Amino acid sequence: SVDDNQLARCVQALRERERSVVVMTFYDEQTAAEAARFLGTSEANVRVIRHRAIHQLRGCMGIAA
């Protein structure tokens, strides 16, 4: 199981933009389109940011990619 405290620390360690995308798309369950509108960027960019953020979170959590 995932250590929620460690995950929270890892999310906090992300850059603000990555953290915003993770929070909006996973915790608030917003679509990439909704996140893109909020951040003033494209859906494709949101997906790239999310992909990078997930990669960083896996590394922080010690989970193999």
Side-chain angles (χ1 to χ4, degrees):
S1 76
V2 171
D3 179 337
D4 288 339
N5 291 326
Q6 185 182 0
L7 180 57
R9 284 193 300 274
C10 291
V11 169
Q12 287 303 314
L14 292 172
R15 284 184 302 214
E16 186 176 0
R17 196 167 176 82
E18 280 85 352
R19 187 167 58 245
S20 295
V21 167
V22 167
V23 169
M24 282 190 278
T25 59
F26 291 107
Y27 292 100
D28 299 341
E29 297 182 8
Q30 292 187 38
T31 64
E34 290 167 330
R37 273 196 301 277
F38 180 81
L39 293 169
T41 189
S42 67
E43 278 184 70
N45 195 29
V46 166
R47 286 192 290 271
V48 168
I49 292 167
R50 186 171 56 198
H51 175 80
R52 288 182 185 148
I54 290 168
H55 186 76
Q56 287 177 281
L57 288 173
R58 281 187 174 137
C60 181
M61 296 293 292
I63 299 168

